[in-house]
Amino acid sequence: MILKKFFCFILLFLTLTACKHDPLDIDISTTSVQIGFTNLDSLLYNTNAEQLPELRKELSASISDIFDYQIGYCMRIGRVHDTAFVNSILQYRADTSIIQLEKEIASQFSDLSKYKKNLALAFRYLKTHVPDAKIPQQIVFQNSLFNSSAFCTENEIGIGLDQYLGAQSPTIKQLPSEPFYDWMKKGFDRNYMERDAVLSWILTHILPEVKGNLAEEIIYHGKALYLTEAAMPSAAKHIITRYSEKDLKWANENEYSFWKYLVDENMLFKTDERNARNMLQEGPFTSGLPEKGPDRLGQFLGWKIVKNYMENSKTTVEELINTPYNEILQAYEPE
């Protein structure tokens, strides 16, 4: 009798586990990617004045879009072909606030090898899942002067090292409270660097943009986070969602309540831009919901809905990209 119960238990266990599959469990051993890495920040700050014209020529050829973005938008010293380029760089490097910022960046990011390895690995995973996916040719480390954490061009990703110095950095502490609110400073965490770069690339080059009702936008962001998770399967879930562990725990515990709120308020199929911003954009919390909860709960819910769908279907990560949002939504079973 005991033996019979044991076999019944094993059969039930196998039946339940057979219903789920893990589409993130793949072999990347035969996939390779070729990505170059450039420390643009170090080059601009440390190159001798006599060599700056030649450096400008080299960077204009190798990473033209990011270089133009760095000089023209972040540093605001004119286009890269401006004849005053050398003097502008020297004046930039002589600024006392820049000197402090550059010292912190050089100290905290003296060795970028770990980030390069993790990023190359992430794009190997992404390429394995989506063989036709566009992959960056160059990943460029820069000092964005607090303009962007990750900026994508047609072939490059620019990563603003200044955005990952940490909330306790002397430079970050000195930033004005407006527009650099405390919740923003808490997000200047290096643990999110690779995640931000991969997600930015996915949103720019992999997922087709949507402009629909709230449900469609929630699923869109859920797909983006799931693709990021597929590229970084070993990353902690709170890294993928860009939450603290405490915030992720709160979000998981209140998943059903948030879903019920959206349903009860008939918000899912409305095209109200204000509601979409409240549910999806960064902030101190999700507007309209308890302030003890985290921001971007719409993105979190989208991720959970997509995960639920992927675990209970035979859909591949590549197929997910163009799977209609309503098909994914209809399969959702909130916990």
Side-chain angles (χ1 to χ4, degrees):
M1 186 68 178
I2 294 176
L3 189 61
K4 184 178 180 181
K5 288 183 177 179
F6 173 76
F7 280 117
C8 287
F9 172 78
I10 293 296
L11 181 62
L12 177 62
F13 174 78
L14 292 175
T15 301
L16 290 173
T17 54
C19 293
K20 292 180 179 287
H21 84 296
D22 184 2
L24 303 186
D25 184 15
I26 59 168
D27 177 14
I28 67 168
S29 61
T30 60
T31 303
S32 62
V33 296
Q34 299 298 321
I35 301 175
F37 292 92
T38 301
N39 191 336
L40 176 59
D41 175 54
S42 179
L43 289 173
L44 288 176
Y45 194 73
N46 296 309
T47 299
N48 292 334
E50 297 78 13
Q51 296 173 316
L52 281 173
E54 184 61 28
L55 176 67
R56 177 181 65 178
K57 182 179 178 181
E58 292 175 3
L59 295 177
S60 294
S62 61
I63 54 170
S64 58
D65 291 338
I66 286 290
F67 186 42
D68 199 22
Y69 169 74
Q70 174 72 43
I71 300 299
Y73 184 77
C74 298
M75 297 170 67
R76 303 187 187 279
I77 60 174
R79 294 186 58 80
V80 294
H81 300 296
D82 192 323
T83 54
F85 173 76
V86 173
N87 286 336
S88 296
I89 293 294
L90 294 179
Q91 289 175 16
Y92 165 82
R93 299 193 319 200
D95 186 283
T96 54
S97 60
I98 295 297
I99 292 172
Q100 177 182 332
L101 177 56
E102 288 291 349
K103 282 183 178 179
E104 282 205 63
I105 291 174
S107 174
Q108 293 203 36
F109 298 106
S110 59
D111 184 4
L112 293 168
S113 58
K114 178 184 73 171
Y115 305 102
K116 294 177 182 179
K117 179 181 178 181
N118 289 343
L119 286 163
L121 182 63
F123 282 105
R124 282 182 67 195
Y125 269 104
L126 188 60
K127 188 70 172 176
T128 304
H129 280 294
V130 189
D132 293 333
K134 186 182 182 71
I135 299 298
Q137 296 175 10
Q138 281 276 344
I139 295 178
V140 180
F141 299 100
Q142 59 186 133
N143 176 0
S144 79
L145 296 172
F146 304 103
N147 281 289
S148 65
S149 54
F151 176 79
C152 294
T153 67
E154 188 62 30
N155 297 300
E156 307 146 347
I157 304 176
I159 298 177
L161 295 177
D162 49 298
Q163 301 273 17
Y164 300 99
L165 291 173
Q168 299 308 311
S169 152
T171 298
I172 302 303
K173 285 183 175 181
Q174 290 172 15
L175 291 175
S177 57
E178 290 187 19
F180 298 99
Y181 304 104
D182 286 343
W183 63 266
M184 293 179 63
K185 293 179 181 180
K186 289 178 182 177
F188 289 174
D189 188 329
R190 70 180 63 190
N191 291 316
Y192 300 124
M193 183 192 294
E194 297 98 319
R195 175 264 189 201
D196 289 351
V198 172
L199 177 62
S200 180
W201 185 262
I202 287 168
L203 290 172
T204 305
H205 291 293
I206 308 298
L207 274 182
E209 194 173 357
V210 303
K211 191 69 175 178
N213 57 45
L214 179 60
E216 188 170 6
E217 295 204 40
I218 283 175
I219 299 301
Y220 168 75
H221 285 282
K223 286 182 179 182
L225 289 175
Y226 190 83
L227 282 166
T228 304
E229 184 180 5
M232 304 174 62
S234 298
K237 304 309 179 189
H238 75 275
I239 297 297
I240 299 299
T241 55
R242 216 182 203 282
Y243 281 163
S244 67
E245 293 183 67
K246 178 182 177 183
D247 281 344
L248 180 58
K249 183 175 184 293
W250 191 97
N252 278 319
E253 290 174 348
N254 290 275
E255 177 185 345
Y256 177 75
S257 297
F258 179 50
W259 165 257
K260 190 172 185 302
Y261 166 74
L262 296 179
V263 172
D264 290 347
E265 296 297 320
N266 298 312
M267 295 173 65
L268 286 170
F269 300 105
K270 291 183 178 179
T271 55
D272 188 317
E273 291 187 11
R274 181 179 178 183
N275 279 338
R277 287 196 302 270
N278 290 343
M279 298 298 131
L280 299 167
Q281 288 190 354
E282 294 182 348
F285 54 88
T286 301
S287 182
L289 296 171
E291 294 188 12
K292 60 183 177 181
D295 63 340
R296 297 170 290 112
L297 279 174
Q299 293 192 27
F300 163 80
L301 180 63
W303 174 64
K304 294 299 292 285
I305 292 173
V306 170
K307 283 175 68 67
N308 175 268
Y309 174 80
M310 293 298 288
E311 289 172 358
N312 293 284
S313 73
K314 296 299 182 182
T315 305
T316 66
V317 173
E318 183 177 27
E319 292 168 340
L320 171 67
I321 293 172
N322 292 308
T323 301
Y325 84 93
N326 52 352
E327 179 181 327
I328 297 171
L329 191 67
Q330 288 169 5
Y332 177 52
E333 297 178 359
E335 299 177 0

